[in-house]
């Protein structure tokens, strides 16, 4: 046993950074792995063939020691990059100077509110570029454990901030654009970095009433699995051809995800055709251990590691593989070919990154510190914040009149710095707080921290009320932050924590303009603020990143116009008492009022897609070809050349948007929903099927965009998980206030366009 | 409004410390308040008569500005001292040198396990003395918000660590001895300090499933209120004549405690005769605000402050009194006499501390830094830890053979420092970790942190297993700490958090002696460790304070012998799924398996009162007068000279304890339980009625103690809350393993010995 321990310690030594193997003069120079004309699988296979059994077993954890005798460097697989190159075992920021920081974008939940795919693509591209530059100087590995695309199913979830929201179509569109940015395209010659779609699948509970993510068994119907929990992962695998997947902590229907061959083989590799030889699955950190405990799925530690390896978990973030695969192998619990397959997949991934190729043939190797936190990247971080910030209420107080000179800036977010980054953050070049931004704008600012996010006491009130008293305008910046929503910490209430509502109410009685900034990733019930006429404006600001304060203040004073849309439903406070977080069903039931805007049967406080502007818009919606009725069999027959029928175009619709205001230039997001009673009951309230963001529409002028629908846009999912076209009446609705509608029929017999593999 | 804000800010300026009024030459010199021959109420009344209305209103919060024009200094009412002078608004530790630290005793939950009233009295005396010394040098006020005596009703409670456990009799005995130490006696001429019994009443939920302490309404039957939730408060008020009470955040049966005149007037001041003029009630911090929100009991802020003041909450920890009493008064919501009463009570409290008397007449004024952290106090902190530490399992491995030279010391408590203090701590003179103590004992120690308390990952395993591999003996120090049980944070599970059980299991397979230290205030389910024969010993160590590591290691090597007894029930893990934390009932029901050793119908993992020794004991139990039967009416008639019948002696019992071992001198705790089917069904399993701790019983020698029972010991509580003597058969049982029993009868008619006031 001692030998294994010693090796494991080696494998875990921190701070191991990428160094490229020497394919010119090193021991591998004449091995096929160094032959750039061979395929990745040929190259990786040739490499693994050189490994002894012990060397194979040692390279199965996230901190891979490599094989020194072969000149194969150690490699750390764990890099984070959720919204910028982030602090993590494989990322090593310098104390100062070059590589001491990286661009820190807003959290995904805020970026998603921009509904701007091009923006997201650009963000992905930038994060990937900065990661590559870090790697070139031995400060990062080449793969990043991003994005988190579990849907924001329940408002209590502590990690909802990391996701692009609650809507599957939106998630799919977002993640496709992000991934092709991060990795540098769909199946490029060399990947810029490898991204990792996580957490596959059904993961969206941290710790709720003793249900801890490591041991929670999510009971999910095939219908919900196909319709809600996996479409975004399908997009990763099948359409964006991402380099890596991460299996999740939880079990689904009794099987821990990292031991779930239905997930890892049947759906992922077979149904979604994720078969490029350089694709691998990593476990979430110690999810392999969790198969043994606390899932108690495998009776021994050896069986747990064998179950994971056999199911298709290729590398273990943790120590269970290097520690227990040796004895599992001795017990005959897996075949050597399965271990080889796992290693070949990993190293083929590195091949695909150009890891074994000459620097001069991999253009990414030329990236340096000059490519990090460039003026363009800084501008992009600012833009991402501005585009996502969402105006929820405004009685005309905003944009603020230039006549005001003194501001009270109060609340737990008023002087936010790292708070603005949320979780999985790196070191930012700067962190411009609302306070800093207000001062830069020339205001005389009376700042007071006021009550903390979850502070139950009133001790801060007098000083904060005095600051308000001394000012012309009051801005309260509060809501929630990572002290109440975080990894390993779900919420139990979705009201404003602490005494914030009491305090805001007192501010509202002072007879001064009052603007409330509701910050944080999850929503809080704004009912009281929306109904209080003395709360003049309400803005949701998420976690706005390095330039968040500037973005918020620019919107407040009108230097920028808000056009973000809420990417989640804001439920009333009582929602948390109406459905257990552990109820995974989307559709309403006796103890479930339904989840997301598609299925919620109550009245949301603020609905999905809502967002105000500083001007007014009108819009028209027209089909490119006028057609009132489509025959289903004709539609399907016209698509037979497509590998995936759901991607086959159905029709395009032109949306013409006019800024009917007279003074403010503004962006506008075209949200196109589909409604109708077709397919199996119950019917969703509506479903987002397309969107675009139009930029800078000047007063009294118009812009047009084309929204493309596919057969997938029209399909619904049956009880087996199949995607089906159903006859019926379909109505397209533009925007949440129904600015325009368009109706058409589908006729003929229903037709399955995707058969869901049965477990 | 501006004037009020400005005053409030003044009232809240931090760091205000006690300075004594100048009764010799100051403006008050000729006022009756400075006349030491007058009574406290005369003196305080004369002082308040000088206040303007505004001055009265300003001195209603915890940070009292005093009255500068009268030479009345500012006074901060908020000092903490749960287990030593503690960091808090009124306590100001020096950066270095004198008053830079104070003795830091174990948390009450561990001290209570000593079952040593004399020890607790000494601890109280020491904390009070150190507090006085701090006050004499302007580093503390004179009142302390300790003790926390809510019973540890539910194992999930985050603040159970602060309490003396789950048993009411134990709580009563503990708190009486602590208070008479802290305050310097029962109604002494001058109080050493004022103690504050908290949290009155029914407070024992922090934040569970959205039930937050500030707004939780505890539904409590009169029977449980009288029998379980208030006896310890009765002891405070009626028997120890404590100086102050704190009303709690929660409501009981619809009424927030700080607005509950049934609690504050009927029970406290009338039934328990808490009528000395220098006694006052403070609110928990911002509990007055909570009456308005989130209890929504009062419709306006003005009504909330008036409700609290009228009910008998004399001072507000918070700002609501100074902010809203002015407008409440303008609205006629309270009479000026009620405000005067509140102020007189507070200032009479200061009179009772000698605040207005010449220094030379108050002996406590002579205390200095020389009286803080004395060698005796340091020894007492060590003794308190040793006496409380409880041995739960031992196969003979302990005390450790002197032949072992190398120890692996592993786990999140192995190098504990401030962790050993738990919450409400001050700055300790030193913090001797287990690691330090082991090194001092001359061991070669292989230290590894191993997995953190709630660490879900295995990344620490290899280094920790290597440390174990290199050692002869393994000590794992884990369990829980303030990261998972804390103020504002209840638990949802009572298993070992994180991966500790997996890790301990791996340690147990190494073929070496393995000792587990289960640390923290709440219990975790030890089943797996108790049933694993390769876990050789198990010790519960609570939060052992400044010398905790030394105490633990001294017990392990046999320099000290364990004799602590578990002051709570250790429930199996599934308990948390059997009863909601919010179910306040003690007796079993359809969704409640019963609470505490008295009512729990399941099998505890470790029962209340359990604790092993390094030797064996036998014991005999005998009545001083042999009597098999007592007539109830005769018993009651013999007690008519007693103001409180429950305090009237019933009988004394001699317990003779023999150490039957041959080598180890050891303390032994005599726990005397009463059993029997008398009074209303259901019947408790048993009830603790007396205890004592015998010290240093040498091998083959005996000691005797006398345990005194009162009528109260025999009484049970009926559905109205009345304490009643019932006819029936009574059995006394010595110790949890029934070392001796004694049976007697009560005959005749039942008789109420205390009529409970009906609400």
């Amino acid at each position: 046993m001692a030998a294994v321990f010693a090796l494991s310690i080696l494998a875990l030594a921190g701070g191991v950074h990428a160094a490229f193997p020497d394919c010119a003069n090193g021991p591998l120079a004449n091995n096929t792995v160094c032959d750039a004309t061979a395929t990745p699988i040929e190259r990786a296979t040739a490499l693994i063939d050189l490994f002894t059994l012990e060397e194979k077993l040692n390279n199965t954890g996230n901190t891979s020691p490599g094989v020194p005798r072969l000149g194969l460097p150690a490699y750390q697989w764990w890099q984070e990059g959720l919204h910028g190159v982030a602090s993590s075992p494989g990322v090593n920021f310098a104390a100062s100077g070059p590589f001491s920081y990286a661009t820190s974008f807003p959290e995904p939940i805020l970026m998603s509110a921009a509904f701007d795919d091009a923006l997201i693509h650009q963000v992905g591209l930038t994060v990937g570029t900065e990661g590559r530059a870090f790697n070139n100087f031995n400060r990062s590995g080449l793969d990043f454990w991003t994005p988190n695309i579990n849907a924001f199913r329940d408002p209590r979830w502590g990690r909802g901030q990391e996701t692009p929201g609650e809507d599957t179509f939106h998630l799919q569109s977002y993640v496709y654009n992000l991934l092709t940015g991060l990795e540098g395209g769909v199946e490029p010659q060399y990947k810029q970095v490898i991204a990792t779609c996580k957490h596959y699948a059904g993961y969206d509970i941290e710790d709720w009433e003793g249900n801890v993510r490591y041991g929670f068994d999510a009971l999910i119907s095939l219908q919900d699995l196909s319709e809600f929990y996996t479409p975004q992962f399908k997009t990763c695998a099948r359409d964006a051809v991402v380099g890596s997947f991460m299996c999740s902590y939880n079990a689904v229907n009794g099987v821990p995800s990292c031991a779930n061959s239905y997930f890892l083989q049947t759906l992922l590799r077979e149904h979604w055709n994720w078969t490029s030889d350089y694709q691998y699955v990593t476990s979430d950190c110690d999810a392999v251990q969790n198969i043994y405990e606390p899932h108690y799925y495998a009776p021994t530690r050896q069986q747990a590691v064998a179950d994971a390896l056999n199911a298709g978990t290729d590398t273990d973030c943790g120590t269970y593989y290097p520690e227990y695969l040796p004895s599992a192998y001795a017990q005959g619990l897996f075949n050597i070919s399965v271990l080889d397959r796992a290693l070949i997949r990993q190293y083929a991934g590195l091949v695909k990154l150009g890891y074994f190729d000459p620097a001069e043939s991999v253009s990414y190797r030329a990236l340096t510190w000059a490519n990090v936190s460039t003026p363009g990247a800084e501008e992009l971080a600012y833009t991402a914040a501005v585009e996502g910030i969402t105006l929820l209420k405004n009685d005309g107080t905003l944009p603020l009149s230039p006549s005001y000179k003194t501001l009270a800036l109060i609340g737990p977010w008023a002087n936010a710095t790292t708070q603005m980054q949320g979780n999985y953050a790196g070191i930012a070049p700067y962190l411009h707080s609302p306070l800093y931004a207000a001062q830069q704008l020339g205001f005389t600012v009376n700042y007071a921290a006021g009550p903390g996010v979850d502070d139950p006491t009133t001790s801060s009130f007098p000083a904060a009320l005095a600051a308000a008293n001394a000012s012309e305008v009051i801005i309260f910046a509060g809501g929630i932050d990572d002290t109440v929503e975080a990894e390993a910490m779900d919420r139990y209430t979705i009201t404003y924590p602490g005494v914030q509502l009491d305090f805001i109410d007192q501010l509202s009685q002072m007879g001064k303009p009052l603007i409330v900034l509701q910050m944080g990733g999850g929503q809080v019930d704004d009912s009281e603020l929306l109904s209080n006429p003395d709360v003049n404006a309400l803005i949701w600001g998420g976690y706005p990143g390095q330039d968040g304060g500037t973005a918020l203040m620019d919107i407040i004073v009108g230097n920028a116009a808000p056009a973000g849309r809420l990417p989640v439903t804001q439920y009333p406070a009582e929602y948390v008492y109406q459905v257990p977080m552990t109820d995974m069903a989307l559709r309403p039931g006796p103890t479930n009022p339904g989840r997301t805007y598609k299925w919620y049967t109550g009245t949301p406080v603020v609905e999905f897609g809502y967002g105000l502007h500083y001007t007014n818009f009108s819009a028209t919606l027209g089909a490119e070809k006028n057609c009132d009725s489509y025959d289903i069999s004709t539609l399907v027959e016209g698509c037979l050349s497509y590998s995936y029928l759901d991607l086959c175009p159905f029709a395009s619709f032109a949306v013409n948007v006019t800024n009917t205001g007279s003074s403010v230039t503004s962006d506008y997001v075209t949200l196109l929903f589909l409604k109708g009673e077709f397919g199996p009951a119950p019917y969703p309230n509506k479903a987002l099927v397309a969107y675009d963001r139009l930029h800078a529409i000047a007063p009294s002028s118009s812009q047009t965009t084309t929204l493309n629908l596919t057969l997938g846009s029209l399909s619904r999912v049956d009880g087996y998980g199949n995607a089906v076209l159903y006859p019926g009446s379909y109505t397209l609705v533009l925007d949440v206030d129904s600015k325009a509608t368009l109706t058409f029929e589908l006729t003929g017999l229903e037709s399955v366009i995707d058969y869901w593999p049965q477990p």
Side-chain angles (χ1 to χ4, degrees), chain A:
Chain A
M1 234 173 158
V4 172
F5 292 151
L7 287 164
S8 300
I9 292 163
L10 186 65
L12 281 162
V16 176
H17 291 291
F20 293 95
D22 180 0
C23 267
N25 305 302
L28 293 172
N30 294 320
N31 185 275
T32 302
V33 75
C34 284
D35 175 3
T37 68
T39 66
I41 194 165
E42 290 166 351
R43 298 172 68 178
T45 303
L47 175 68
I48 301 308
D49 280 348
L50 300 179
F51 284 26
T52 66
L53 176 61
E54 190 170 302
E55 287 163 350
K56 289 177 181 176
L57 292 165
N58 278 340
N59 283 285
T60 52
N62 63 294
T63 307
S64 207
V67 183
R69 71 175 178 90
L70 297 176
L72 182 70
Y75 185 79
Q76 172 56 260
W77 291 93
W78 186 349
Q79 281 74 227
E80 300 288 351
L82 180 67
H83 48 114
V85 175
S87 303
S88 44
V91 172
N92 177 20
F93 283 97
S96 61
F99 299 103
S100 61
Y101 53 84
T103 310
S104 188
F105 292 96
E107 279 276 24
I109 193 67
L110 186 72
M111 292 199 287
S112 82
F115 283 90
D116 186 344
D117 287 346
L119 174 89
I120 299 308
H121 182 79
Q122 209 55 36
V123 168
L125 200 57
T126 304
V127 174
T129 296
E130 297 194 356
R132 260 290 179 170
F134 270 67
N135 174 263
N136 286 336
F137 291 81
N138 263 2
R139 293 195 167 275
S140 172
L142 285 161
D143 68 289
F144 288 82
W145 292 355
T146 184
N148 178 349
I149 52 169
N150 300 106
F152 200 161
R153 176 183 61 90
D154 189 293
R156 290 163 279 199
W157 189 26
R159 298 183 71 176
Q161 60 181 292
E162 302 176 26
T163 77
E166 74 184 27
D167 180 68
T168 43
F169 173 76
H170 185 204
L171 283 162
Q172 290 178 275
S173 195
Y174 181 105
V175 72
Y176 182 86
N177 283 279
L178 183 80
L179 290 178
T180 53
L182 281 165
E183 295 202 336
V186 177
E187 302 203 78
Q189 183 195 356
Y190 293 113
K191 283 186 187 279
Q192 180 170 248
V193 298
I194 287 177
T196 305
C197 286
K198 69 185 185 187
H199 313 82
Y200 180 61
Y203 169 75
D204 55 19
I205 289 181
E206 300 300 303
D207 186 350
W208 185 83
E209 291 192 10
N211 297 280
V212 176
R213 55 185 178 162
Y214 312 112
F216 177 63
D217 181 20
L219 302 181
I220 299 177
S221 71
L222 284 184
Q223 188 175 43
D224 283 340
L225 190 67
S226 170
E227 176 181 274
F228 179 77
Y229 290 97
T230 61
Q232 60 277 40
F233 290 102
K234 175 178 72 178
T235 300
C236 283
R238 192 189 71 175
D239 306 331
V241 198
V242 72
S244 172
F245 260 58
M246 177 182 285
C247 52
S248 60
Y249 287 120
N250 59 290
V252 172
N253 302 333
V255 186
S257 296
C258 293
N260 194 332
S261 61
Y262 173 65
F263 278 8
L264 299 178
Q265 184 63 30
T266 310
L267 289 182
L268 175 59
R269 292 186 168 105
E270 293 170 13
H271 192 58
W272 298 334
N273 202 27
W274 198 60
T275 51
S276 297
D277 45 34
Y278 50 78
Q279 292 164 332
Y280 60 88
V281 172
T282 182
S283 76
D284 204 342
C285 294
D286 281 298
V288 172
Q289 181 219 17
N290 301 149
I291 295 167
Y292 172 66
E293 187 242 41
H295 281 302
Y296 307 106
Y297 176 80
T300 65
R301 297 180 178 91
Q302 285 74 20
Q303 192 64 57
V305 295
D307 284 351
L309 192 71
N310 286 325
T313 299
D314 301 308
T315 176
D316 171 23
C317 177
T319 63
Y320 252 49
Y321 268 9
E323 277 207 45
Y324 296 107
L325 283 178
S327 44
Y329 186 66
Q331 294 171 21
L333 297 178
F334 65 90
N335 192 293
I336 193 70
S337 65
V338 180
L339 177 61
D340 288 350
R341 178 184 74 179
L343 290 163
I344 290 167
R345 285 172 175 164
Q346 294 170 53
Y347 282 99
L350 293 180
V351 167
K352 190 66 187 171
L353 289 155
Y355 190 68
F356 297 90
D357 289 1
E360 55 278 15
S361 64
V362 186
S363 60
Y364 294 124
R365 295 283 291 273
L367 294 169
T368 68
W369 174 238
N371 301 98
V372 179
S373 196
T374 62
E378 294 189 3
E379 177 72 19
L380 187 63
Y382 167 81
T383 301
V386 164
E387 287 200 7
I389 291 167
T390 305
L391 183 63
L392 302 181
K393 179 183 183 180
N394 186 17
D395 66 0
T397 298
L398 296 184
L400 213 54
S401 160
S403 65
Y404 295 118
K405 305 300 180 201
T406 61
L407 285 186
L409 204 46
I410 301 175
W413 274 84
N415 193 22
T417 55
T418 53
Q419 203 178 8
M420 295 191 299
Q421 297 180 281
N423 66 2
Y424 285 97
I427 299 173
Y430 46 77
L431 291 161
H432 291 156
S433 70
L435 175 57
Y436 167 89
Q439 289 166 335
Q440 293 300 111
L441 288 170
F443 285 104
T444 299
V445 184
N446 296 305
Y447 164 72
V453 163
D454 199 18
D455 177 4
T457 77
T458 65
S459 56
S460 62
F461 283 17
L465 291 169
N469 214 37
S471 309
E472 295 166 291
V473 175
I474 307 166
I475 299 175
F476 178 81
I480 59 177
D481 64 12
D482 277 347
T483 59
V484 299
E485 58 164 356
E487 186 155 9
M489 181 164 56
D490 297 314
R491 288 187 290 165
Y492 287 90
T493 58
I494 52 173
T495 50
Y496 277 78
V499 294
Q500 293 182 74
L501 284 180
D502 184 359
F503 183 66
I504 294 168
D505 184 43
Q506 295 189 46
L507 291 175
S508 78
Q509 293 172 25
M510 298 182 77
K512 305 182 178 207
L514 171 62
I515 301 147
V516 174
L517 308 182
Q518 177 220 322
M519 306 300 292
Q523 294 293 307
V524 283
D525 180 342
D526 279 320
S527 303
E528 198 170 315
L529 308 186
L530 293 168
S531 66
N532 181 344
D534 296 320
V535 175
N536 304 89
L538 176 64
I539 290 171
W540 174 64
Y543 294 92
Q546 66 183 34
D547 222 357
T550 314
L552 288 162
M553 286 306 305
D554 276 354
I555 282 178
I556 287 171
V557 302
N559 291 345
R565 300 299 188 100
L566 218 55
V568 289
T569 301
Q570 184 181 110
Y571 298 94
E574 59 266 25
Y575 186 81
V576 298
Y577 307 110
Q578 295 169 344
V579 57
M581 195 175 176
T582 45
D583 181 342
M584 305 298 284
L586 276 293
R587 286 162 174 74
T591 59
N592 187 339
R595 296 179 173 284
T596 83
Y597 73 93
K598 285 185 184 168
W599 300 107
Y600 179 49
T601 51
T603 304
V605 179
V606 185
E607 69 185 310
F608 173 89
Y610 188 81
L612 299 171
H613 305 85
Y614 285 166
T615 183
N616 292 310
F617 291 97
S618 67
T620 63
L621 173 67
E624 290 197 345
K625 298 182 202 161
N626 279 325
C627 182
D628 291 341
S629 180
Y630 301 83
D631 174 65
I632 289 174
S633 62
T634 309
L635 283 176
V636 171
E637 278 158 23
C639 288
L640 293 181
S641 64
Y642 281 79
S643 304
Y644 308 110
L645 287 178
D646 60 304
L647 296 181
C648 178
F650 160 64
S652 295
F653 298 87
V655 177
N656 184 272
V657 178
T658 303
N659 180 346
T660 61
S662 59
S663 60
V664 176
T665 295
S666 175
D667 291 3
Y668 176 83
V669 170
T670 60
L671 298 175
L672 191 63
F673 295 96
L674 184 61
K675 288 175 95 153
E677 298 199 346
F678 48 86
Y683 311 108
N685 300 315
K686 58 183 177 180
L688 186 70
V689 289
Y691 64 82
D692 193 16
R693 185 177 180 116
L694 300 174
H695 291 272
I697 308 178
S700 305
S701 71
S702 300
Q703 285 186 27
T704 299
T705 183
T706 300
L707 299 177
N708 301 310
L709 267 56
T710 65
L711 292 197
S713 311
L714 308 180
S715 68
R716 289 200 56 214
V717 175
D718 70 15
Y720 301 98
N722 301 318
V724 186
L725 293 182
Y726 290 98
S729 174
Y730 291 66
T731 300
L732 291 169
V733 180
L734 186 68
D735 212 339
V736 295
D737 60 355
S738 193
K739 283 194 164 55
T741 63
L742 193 153
T743 298
F744 58 87
E745 301 279 330
L746 257 59
T747 59
L749 294 178
E750 66 185 54
S751 179
V752 174
I753 61 168
D754 181 54
Y755 283 97
W756 187 253
Q758 300 301 295

